[in-house]
Structure formats: structure tokens, C-alpha cells
Amino acid sequence: MTDLKSRWLALYVLCLGDLMIVLDQSIVNVALPSIQEDLGFSQSALAWVVNAYLLTFGGFLLLSGRLGDLLGNRRVFLGGVTFFTIASVACGLAPTAEFLVVGRAVQGLGGAAVSAVALALIMGLFSDPGERAKAMGVFGFVMSGGGAVGVLLGGVLTGLFSWHWIFLVNVPIGLAVWFAARRALPEDAAIEQRGRIDVLGAVLVTGALMLSVYGIVSSTWWLLAVSAVLVAAFVLWESRTAEPLVPLRLFRLRNLVVAQGVGVLWAAAMFAWFFLAALYLQQVLGYGALEVGLAFLPTSVVMAYCSLQVSDRLVMRFGIRPPLVVGLGLAAASLALFSRAPVDGNFWLDVLPSMLLLGVGAGIAFNPVLLAAMGDVEPHEAGLASGVVNTSFMMGGALGLAVLVSLSTWRTESLADSGSSTLEALNGGFQLAFAAGAIAALLAAVAGGVLLRPKPMVAPEPVAAEESCAA
């Protein structure tokens, strides 16, 4: 598979598979009230419908990326799609709250396998800088715009049918992706030496991440200390084992490390925005599920246009840093606007401007973040690096959601105790969380602009260019 048409067909299959995974991170947001009422979730436990998925997803990305390097990325991708599709059936038919949370956690395992290797497969398909920038624009929309599309789709399915269909819709998509991937994706290259899988390393880092998020959500701060001990044990083990899950030399790659930090901050803001914006529209403004989904339509449309038509051109003309800084700056402005949304907010004045700004900012910024993170990585470790990048985004999202939801709850309770009405207290909590998210996005913009040292986005040497064209 070397011709351009085949490579782009493979890209679309990979993006559809990853879109299915990304959708499941946000599609449940609009359906949360219906799920809570139907299955009897408490308010505090409701966030675990989101976090159970994020924790296993983020925790197993590193192991999945390593499996891709050892067993073949195509094989791991197909296995992940199969696992995710089966788990979606279990979630859609869940009879109890506990069953759904467990199903979401299992679903996250399949999602980790798909996402961990998708980026590596795309990097292997496109070596020409121009083609790679365009391909990353498409993939960037899936990664960033998938959240908005998920809220839209979740609203439509919940409003017209029931919450069960936000999971069951994955079944036909998963089957289509599996069959298409078998035909479109290139066969895995022969691997001369199959290394050992670092199971202990995966257990240590996954346990650390899960304990840290649970500690924040439940305000059990001693769990954070336990998490720090597990992180230290993970680093010590990785430095001594012969075949580590994450070779520590990867963290000598400046751009990879900086892009991880940017990803953590930005994902924290983005995940909280999707979660809290949906709750603001429902609980404060009184929107129904279908209305909430339609409210996110402008974000999806603008984000798609900027990701697919604007971002790659900006990267090729100005390099990686300027679009990244501008995009994240616009995302910060979006969250700052939402932090001023009143109790009696008007969609056209108080909601739509933030939606449009976020669409433009996220649509522009995600492509350069991915290019910066993967630009210095050797091909034989692309799967692992893809897992590292995705881990930073997903765990940044999980931790950010935990922190900002906790912050919102604290502010709401404080205002209620001081005599504010229920709606005023609830809205005050949302406002504080949005303001904190704006600060996180702004810090991401500053860090990317100051610390990144990306390679110039220029065409390869003439010989390499001719070989690419011939391929």
C-alpha cells in the first residue's frame, strides 16, 4: 500500500475508529441526567460514568502502545476495535449503576488499544511534511472535535430514543471499522525480536493514575501520597528493567515532553468545558437533551472547518508554534467568556460566542500539538510515543475533570450555605470551574510558545521527495 489514494483510505478508516473512541468520552455528558434517574446514581457517583472510562483508557495507553511496537500496530488496532464493540453492548444493556461503571472501565481498555496505535499508524503512512500536516489536520479534528460531535450525537440519541443508544450506536460503527481496517490497513512489518511486555510497569503507572484521580474526586488526600509513591516505584522500575514499558530516554526529547505538558493542561480545560457546559445548559438554563446536542453543533462545524481546511495551511506557512499559541489562546478566551455566563443566560449572547471561539481555537491548535509531540520520535517507537502522547491528553482530561468538578462543587456548596438560591449557587460553581479552565488553557499556550523547539515544516531533500512521489 504505497499509492496516495490507499494511504488516505487507510487514514479515514483509522480516524473513524478513533472517532468512535473519542465520542465515548463526551457522548455520555448529555445523557447523564437520564442515566442518573434510570439507574439511581448519586450525584457524586455520576462522574464515574465518565471517569471510569478515562481512567482505564489513560492507564492502559502506554501498555497498548508498547504492544503495538511488539506485536504490530494493525493487530492491536483490530483487537481494540473488537474489545470496544463488545463492551459497548454491555454498557448499552446495563441493568444497574455498578454494571455500567464496570462496563465503562472495560470499554476504556479497548479504546486504549485503538487510540494508542492509530497515531503511530498515521505517522507511518505519511512521511511527506505537507501530506502529514493535512493528515494530522484530519486526525486533529477527530481528537479535538470528537468531543463536540459526541455531545451533539448524545443529545440527539438521548432526546429521540434513550440513553442506551449512546452505547449501542457503537456496534454497527465498530463492525464497519473492523471489516474496513482488515482491507485498508497495511500488514504489520515482520518483527525480528519480540520483547517482553512490562506488565509490572503498566500496573504501577495505572494504579498511580487511578488513585490520584479518586483521591481528588473523593477529597481523600492521603491517596495522592500513595499515588506519588507508585509513580516513584514506576520510575525506579523503568530505570532498572531490561525492557521497560517506557524507556526513560524518551523524556530527553524536549518537544515530546513539552507537548505532554501542553496536552495535560489543555485536556484539563477541554474535558471540563464539555462536561460543565452540558450541565450548565441543562441544569441552569433548563435545556433538554436534544437542545443541548444542537447547541454544540456550531462548535462541531467550526472545529471541523478549521481542522480540515485551515490548520495544516497555517502550520506549513508559519510553523508549529504560532498556530498552537493562537489556538490555545482562543480556547482560553472561550472559557473566560463562559465563566461570565449568568443564571438567565441567552444562547446567542452568552453561549454561542464561547462555542465559536472554542471551535476555532481547538480546530487550529490540535494539529501542531500532535506534530510537535511526534516529530522527534524514531519509527520503531512510534507506537509507544503515540501511547505516551495520548496518555497525557486522557489523564490530563481525567485529572482536570476531577479537579474542576470538585472546585465547582465546593463553590456551589459555599454559595448555598451563604444564602444563595439553588440556581445561583450552581451557576457560581460552574463559573469558577470555567475560569480555572481558562487559566489552564492560557498556561498551555504560554508553555507551548516558550518551550517548544519544533523542527521546521519544510519539504524533504529532493531525493526523498522524488521517492515519496514515486511511492
Side-chain angles (χ1 to χ4, degrees):
M1 176 182 298
T2 56
D3 63 281
L4 185 60
K5 183 178 179 180
S6 297
R7 292 201 302 272
W8 278 90
L9 177 60
L11 172 69
Y12 294 143
V13 172
L14 290 168
C15 286
L16 181 59
D18 205 62
L19 179 61
M20 178 179 66
I21 306 304
V22 174
L23 285 177
D24 249 56
Q25 297 160 21
S26 62
I27 196 172
V28 300
N29 288 344
V30 180
L32 287 176
S34 299
I35 294 173
Q36 182 178 21
E37 180 180 355
D38 194 17
L39 297 183
F41 276 95
S42 66
Q43 187 65 32
S44 59
L46 190 60
W48 283 102
V49 178
V50 177
N51 279 337
Y53 179 86
L54 292 178
L55 290 177
T56 54
F57 182 92
F60 282 88
L61 279 166
L62 293 177
L63 179 58
S64 298
R66 179 62 174 158
L67 286 173
D69 291 331
L70 294 177
L71 306 178
N73 289 322
R74 179 179 183 270
R75 185 176 291 111
V76 171
F77 181 86
L78 290 170
V81 170
T82 302
F83 208 60
F84 183 87
T85 304
I86 294 173
S88 295
V89 176
C91 289
L93 302 178
T96 65
E98 294 79 9
F99 194 96
L100 178 59
V101 170
V102 172
R104 289 285 285 166
V106 175
Q107 206 179 23
L109 297 177
V114 173
S115 287
V117 299
L119 182 57
L121 284 165
I122 293 172
M123 294 293 289
L125 286 168
F126 299 93
S127 58
D128 176 77
E131 288 185 8
R132 179 174 286 183
K134 289 182 180 294
M136 283 299 182
V138 177
F139 188 71
F141 167 67
V142 169
M143 292 288 288
S144 59
V149 175
V151 176
L152 170 62
L153 185 59
V156 171
L157 292 174
T158 304
L160 296 181
F161 303 103
S162 71
W163 65 264
H164 300 276
W165 286 98
I166 66 175
F167 301 114
L168 295 178
V169 72
N170 292 326
V171 178
I173 298 174
L175 290 173
V177 169
W178 190 87
F179 282 107
R182 283 181 58 85
R183 296 182 61 113
L185 296 185
E187 294 289 339
D188 292 318
I191 301 173
E192 296 181 1
Q193 293 183 339
R194 297 185 184 273
R196 177 178 65 84
I197 298 173
D198 182 15
V199 177
L200 178 59
V203 170
L204 287 173
V205 72
T206 302
L209 294 169
M210 293 179 72
L211 285 177
S212 63
V213 174
Y214 184 77
I216 293 171
V217 171
S218 62
S219 298
T220 310
W221 305 115
W222 63 268
L223 288 178
L224 299 180
V226 177
S227 174
V229 171
L230 290 180
V231 170
F234 171 73
V235 173
L236 180 62
W237 171 254
E238 296 301 285
S239 66
R240 294 187 175 184
T241 185
E243 298 181 65
L245 176 69
V246 182
L248 298 183
R249 66 178 181 276
L250 279 181
F251 297 100
R252 297 175 189 155
L253 302 176
R254 179 191 183 104
N255 292 328
L256 177 63
V257 173
V258 174
Q260 281 184 273
V262 170
V264 167
L265 290 169
W266 186 23
M270 287 282 289
F271 275 74
W273 186 89
F274 287 124
F275 184 82
L276 295 171
L279 291 181
Y280 168 77
L281 293 175
Q282 286 182 300
Q283 298 180 2
V284 177
L285 299 188
Y287 284 25
L290 181 58
E291 293 174 304
V292 173
L294 294 176
F296 276 80
L297 181 59
T299 303
S300 302
V301 172
V302 172
M303 199 178 297
Y305 178 78
C306 291
S307 296
L308 304 177
Q309 300 294 328
V310 178
S311 181
D312 64 301
R313 297 177 184 178
L314 292 178
V315 167
M316 294 305 296
R317 181 171 181 179
F318 300 105
I320 287 175
R321 277 190 297 179
L324 184 147
V325 172
V326 171
L328 292 178
L330 290 175
S334 166
L335 286 154
L337 281 179
F338 233 120
S339 72
R340 301 175 66 253
V343 172
D344 57 347
N346 178 276
F347 175 79
W348 301 104
L349 297 177
D350 302 306
V351 177
L352 184 60
S354 175
M355 296 278 191
L356 296 177
L357 275 178
L358 188 79
V360 175
I364 291 175
F366 212 95
N367 182 1
V369 171
L370 294 176
L371 288 169
M374 298 293 291
D376 297 337
V377 178
E378 295 297 327
H380 70 278
E381 290 183 327
L384 175 59
S386 175
V388 169
V389 171
N390 278 288
T391 297
S392 66
F393 279 105
M394 293 306 104
M395 294 316 300
L399 291 170
L401 182 60
V403 171
L404 295 187
V405 168
S406 297
L407 189 62
S408 175
T409 301
W410 169 80
R411 179 61 174 165
T412 295
E413 293 174 350
S414 176
L415 291 173
D417 291 341
S418 65
S420 298
S421 68
T422 301
L423 277 183
E424 289 174 340
L426 192 61
N427 191 59
F430 290 152
Q431 287 180 329
L432 181 60
F434 284 129
I439 293 173
L442 184 61
L443 289 174
V446 173
V450 173
L451 300 177
L452 277 179
R453 296 290 185 271
K455 296 177 180 178
M457 293 297 296
V458 297
E461 296 179 4
V463 173
E466 292 171 6
E467 292 175 351
S468 177
C469 293

